[in-house]
Amino acid sequence: MIFELEHKDDHGVIKYSTEQISFPAFVKHLTFAGTGKYRPPTLAFRYLGFLFGYFPYWGITHFVLPQFIFNDPTEKGAISKQIGRTFSDYLSKRIYRSKFSYSYEDAMIQKGLPITGHRPDFYCDNLKHQFAIEAKGFSASSISANEMHNHKKQSQSGPIPVSFSIASVAYDLYKNLKVKFHDPVNDNVPYDREISFQLRSSYFNSVIDLVEQYRFPQTQSNFPDFVSYNFMPFFQPFFPPRLKLLVHRAIIQRNWESNDWLETIERPQERNENYYIDSDGIGLSVID
């Protein structure tokens, strides 16, 4: 899918560009953005539900909702929010080299803070800084400067110190998709290694639990550093595409205390419609 991006950096410079995201990339970010202590089979069903649920909506420059959903403000609003969260996660990794995006509430719990007051959506980690994102998704054809200012204020709320915060707003979702990605001034807050490692461990353990509990068959991987697992072995005779989960070997070996292997994974730029590998070492493959 093609979308228009307006990126305002920490120096106040605005850049406009035309970007593209593949369907496997969209589903990966939609499934994993904000996930923490998900336990099997939640993560598997979450992935499959989004894969099949969003495929009918997928277009070239926008999402296409059936009329009965488009006319329902509640359901359309929920879908718009999910789309907004997806693009905020995708762009945080493309632009600011984030490796992980956690639910901000998970980070608060990890810090022993009560879940009260205003706060952003995501707590992100790029191995050098922690930063926050307020993610929005709207059907409106335009977003005013005043609205972006309010979303930026929301991104800066919350009790956890962060190096910077971002307001990410996807809009005009159903006609001509656009995203505004605005970054306030850097506050130069020290990197919190302890909470980053704790959240990372919960995230990766959820993936390992999924693989081990359901004993997904390991299949031939086309990527030397990744292990491939068949997601739907029981449905294979009825559903031809081979849906696979790609997991970096360091995760399977529980070797995530080191950052060396994470730093070798490039920012997500893959536009292949058959597979997608994210910068967190997890990918999805849909191959006929």
Side-chain angles (χ1 to χ4, degrees):
M1 183 178 292
I2 299 169
F3 64 97
E4 299 174 18
L5 173 64
E6 176 185 300
H7 174 223
K8 183 178 181 181
D9 65 19
D10 57 351
H11 299 294
V13 177
I14 297 179
K15 298 178 182 179
Y16 299 93
S17 61
T18 299
E19 305 291 335
Q20 187 173 346
I21 184 172
S22 69
F23 185 64
F26 175 82
V27 175
K28 194 281 171 186
H29 288 275
L30 178 61
T31 302
F32 287 88
T35 60
K37 297 181 180 180
Y38 275 74
R39 292 292 179 252
T42 307
L43 195 57
F45 289 149
R46 179 180 171 88
Y47 162 50
L48 295 174
F50 286 148
L51 178 74
F52 295 120
Y54 273 85
F55 183 74
Y57 308 156
W58 193 252
I60 297 175
T61 60
H62 60 280
F63 292 87
V64 183
L65 298 183
Q67 202 64 36
F68 74 93
I69 292 180
F70 191 81
N71 292 336
D72 183 340
T74 301
E75 189 162 1
K76 185 172 71 172
I79 291 172
S80 299
K81 177 64 174 178
Q82 289 179 334
I83 294 172
R85 287 167 61 91
T86 302
F87 278 92
S88 71
D89 183 50
Y90 178 69
L91 291 171
S92 76
K93 295 182 176 183
R94 282 286 304 275
I95 297 174
Y96 291 105
R97 298 181 181 272
S98 173
K99 296 292 183 179
F100 308 101
S101 296
Y102 308 108
S103 162
Y104 193 88
E105 288 77 8
D106 275 351
M108 292 176 70
I109 292 172
Q110 200 69 58
K111 295 281 284 186
L113 299 169
I115 308 299
T116 58
H118 295 291
R119 54 192 180 273
D121 290 298
F122 292 136
Y123 178 91
C124 303
D125 173 14
N126 68 4
L127 308 184
K128 294 181 179 179
H129 304 94
Q130 62 267 3
F131 59 96
I133 298 181
E134 175 66 10
K136 298 292 185 183
F138 300 111
S139 60
S141 60
S142 63
I143 300 294
S144 69
N146 187 56
E147 288 174 306
M148 285 303 298
H149 175 73
N150 291 334
H151 298 319
K152 288 206 298 184
K153 285 180 61 178
Q154 181 72 21
S155 77
Q156 294 171 304
S157 65
I160 303 176
V162 293
S163 295
F164 56 92
S165 59
I166 296 167
S168 175
V169 180
Y171 63 104
D172 207 6
L173 303 179
Y174 310 110
K175 290 184 179 179
N176 186 25
L177 177 61
K178 307 175 185 70
V179 182
K180 290 190 177 186
F181 202 72
H182 287 196
D183 176 19
V185 177
N186 190 323
D187 290 329
N188 197 29
V189 172
Y191 181 54
D192 192 331
R193 297 182 182 278
E194 182 178 356
I195 188 175
S196 296
F197 179 71
Q198 292 169 346
L199 290 168
R200 184 191 310 182
S201 296
S202 294
Y203 179 67
F204 285 149
N205 275 319
S206 294
V207 176
I208 291 176
D209 287 349
L210 173 67
V211 170
E212 291 182 346
Q213 181 170 331
Y214 282 86
R215 299 180 180 177
F216 290 128
Q218 187 172 331
T219 62
Q220 181 65 36
S221 174
N222 295 323
F223 308 95
D225 294 328
F226 287 79
V227 181
S228 176
Y229 296 96
N230 190 346
F231 234 138
M232 296 183 66
F234 303 111
F235 298 94
Q236 212 64 65
F238 311 101
F239 188 76
R242 296 186 294 276
L243 306 180
K244 296 181 180 180
L245 177 69
L246 305 174
V247 184
H248 197 283
R249 293 186 185 279
I251 301 173
I252 300 300
Q253 296 166 359
R254 301 179 187 272
N255 183 30
W256 55 72
E257 188 169 359
S258 168
N259 290 338
D260 294 345
W261 65 275
L262 276 167
E263 291 173 344
T264 65
I265 303 176
E266 298 294 330
R267 284 178 293 179
Q269 296 179 348
E270 182 56 61
R271 298 175 181 177
N272 192 298
E273 292 294 335
N274 292 325
Y275 66 88
Y276 176 75
I277 294 176
D278 200 359
S279 57
D280 58 4
I282 297 173
L284 301 176
S285 175
V286 183
I287 303 176
D288 293 330

